[in-house]
Amino acid sequence: MLKAFHPVKALVSLCILLLSSIGVSGNLNSYLVSTEDFFNQFPAEKVLSDQFSTRASSPPSPIVINQSKPIRIVLVVSSPLDDIENRTFLYSFKKRLQELRINYRLELFPVPPLEDVLLSEHFYGSDAITADYLVFDQLSPTFLPLIERALKTKSPKVILRNVVTPIKSWLNHSPLLYLGVDENKSMDRLASYLARQVPDGAMIDALTVQGNALAQLKCDYFFDALQKRGIRVRQSLEVENTVAEAEKAAAYLLKGMPAPYFIFGCTENMSRGIVEAIRHNPQAIVTTNSWGKDAHEIEWLEQGYVSVIVLPMQDNLAIALAEALKNELNFDLVPKIYIAQTSLLTQDMDSESANLMFQQAYQYASLLWQQE
């Protein structure tokens, strides 16, 4: 079912998300610390993060210490294990750990469809609580009670994937590492590119996602960045984050009068659904964006379905996680934040250059795709 998107809902959802765990009141800024403000408040962290970024972009250097036992890592996974993002992350993470010669034991903890309290019971009833490191793939209401408890007890150590905006109330008992992409910078670059490409009077529509406050905030930032450049989104629909629902919604938008010039997809599934809708409406002259999660996106770019790919150095997230564990074993400092760089791939690039950039972003996982 299609719903109109309400920007305030994203704000309210995230406030509720945080209130459920933190128990304070105020506006959104009272919960989150931007990376810029964090580095201004802790300048030594900026230096440490920059040094660590160089490490993540460099060839591996194996540890020299002798481990008395393997470190135990539990990845708490909220999305299907066979999703391409999970598969590539796991593949690259294992490859880097092996190259670093780290003795490890890696376990996956898929999140079942349980209520928060039942999930906590399910988790603490397992032996995952005895791990050395807990890695969560998102910040969600489901995970917050688990994260809060681990942070307060300081065991296991917590690492947050796909989150680089620190929680203010956690500054004194912070996760070991936030790692991900600076979504605001990525959205600003995407908005700047589109502002230069979209003809005067052309329409931009959008698909946003239900039930994911952080994704909705990313979308809101993109809309604001467009508006600052004099471009408004004509129509935005909030749908379930599945390819099928996104395709239905995009097909509806393609019937608009006039038809949109560009349909923004807020998530990978949104973009996939939009591409499928365009495939089935070959008379429509419209493009979308994609998120650099699948090698097939190069084909979409070449075929004209996608006009711009937001491409993070995705493997660097897995590499950074492995390197952080190496620092821990060596008793070296680990930065609180690691931010992977992002590039834009556009239709005016030649195929060779686009493929090369994709291979650089997936220096390990590109081998996984070649095996398929």
Side-chain angles (χ1 to χ4, degrees), residues 187-197 222 225-226 229:
M187 293 302 92
D188 196 67
R189 291 187 66 188
L190 178 60
S192 177
Y193 172 78
L194 289 175
R196 298 192 303 270
Q197 299 298 315
F222 172 72
L226 276 181
R229 293 167 171 85

Side-chain angles (χ1 to χ4, degrees), residues 21-313:
S21 175
I22 298 169
V24 294
S25 61
N27 60 32
L28 184 61
N29 291 331
S30 68
Y31 302 118
L32 305 177
V33 182
S34 71
T35 53
E36 182 179 1
D37 287 344
F38 179 82
F39 287 140
N40 286 338
Q41 186 175 353
F42 304 101
E45 282 291 335
K46 173 62 173 161
V47 175
L48 188 60
S49 182
D50 289 343
Q51 292 172 343
F52 188 76
S53 295
T54 301
R55 173 88 61 82
S57 301
S58 301
S61 176
I63 60 171
V64 294
I65 66 168
N66 292 319
Q67 292 179 242
S68 59
K69 63 178 182 177
I71 57 172
R72 186 159 165 253
I73 310 155
V74 171
L75 298 184
V76 184
V77 184
S78 61
S79 55
L81 294 178
D82 61 353
D83 276 6
I84 188 66
E85 185 172 359
N86 284 330
R87 291 170 56 212
T88 55
F89 183 88
L90 283 171
Y91 185 88
S92 303
F93 183 45
K94 291 177 182 178
K95 283 287 185 182
R96 190 66 167 202
L97 286 172
Q98 291 167 4
E99 291 178 344
L100 294 175
R101 297 177 189 167
I102 291 176
N103 187 5
Y104 70 95
R105 178 181 164 193
L106 179 62
E107 301 166 28
L108 301 180
F109 189 90
V111 175
L114 300 174
E115 297 295 331
D116 292 356
V117 174
L118 293 179
L119 176 61
S120 295
E121 292 176 355
H122 179 70
F123 183 86
Y124 284 101
S126 72
D127 65 349
I129 191 59
T130 62
D132 298 303
Y133 300 95
L134 280 179
V135 184
F136 294 87
D137 66 352
Q138 64 168 297
L139 186 63
S140 73
T142 301
F143 292 164
L144 274 172
L146 306 181
I147 296 172
E148 279 280 298
R149 180 165 172 177
L151 291 178
K152 288 177 180 177
T153 60
K154 300 182 180 180
S155 179
K157 293 185 178 179
V158 172
I159 294 170
L160 296 178
R161 280 173 57 199
N162 305 320
V163 181
V164 295
T165 306
I167 305 300
K168 185 176 290 187
S169 65
W170 292 351
L171 290 180
N172 292 328
H173 55 286
S174 174
L176 176 65
L177 176 65
Y178 295 88
L179 76 161
V181 175
D182 190 326
E183 300 287 8
N184 287 355
K185 284 187 178 179
S186 297
M187 293 302 92
D188 196 67
R189 291 187 66 188
L190 178 60
S192 177
Y193 172 78
L194 289 175
R196 298 192 303 270
Q197 299 298 315
V198 175
D200 291 341
M203 300 296 176
I204 291 182
D205 291 340
L207 296 185
T208 61
V209 60
Q210 293 175 358
N212 188 323
L214 292 178
Q216 290 176 346
L217 287 174
K218 177 180 75 174
C219 294
D220 285 347
Y221 192 93
F222 172 72
F223 298 154
D224 289 343
L226 276 181
Q227 187 170 346
K228 289 176 183 176
R229 293 167 171 85
I231 299 177
R232 289 182 178 272
V233 173
R234 176 182 62 174
Q235 187 172 192
S236 178
L237 300 177
E238 182 182 294
V239 299
E240 184 181 347
N241 189 27
T242 67
V243 175
E245 289 301 312
E247 183 179 355
K248 291 178 187 177
Y252 170 83
L253 292 174
L254 289 174
K255 297 176 183 177
M257 295 298 292
Y261 176 84
F262 183 90
I263 302 177
F264 170 71
C266 186
T267 68
E268 179 188 359
N269 282 343
M270 299 289 106
S271 295
R272 286 176 177 273
I274 295 167
V275 167
E276 289 305 309
I278 297 172
R279 283 188 202 274
H280 294 113
N281 291 271
Q283 75 284 356
I285 304 175
V286 61
T287 63
T288 188
N289 59 288
S290 64
W291 298 103
K293 301 294 178 65
D294 190 329
H296 292 298
E297 294 176 39
I298 297 291
E299 298 174 16
W300 301 346
L301 193 70
E302 294 171 345
Q303 294 165 353
Y305 302 131
V306 164
S307 58
V308 56
I309 300 173
V310 181
L311 179 66
M313 297 294 288

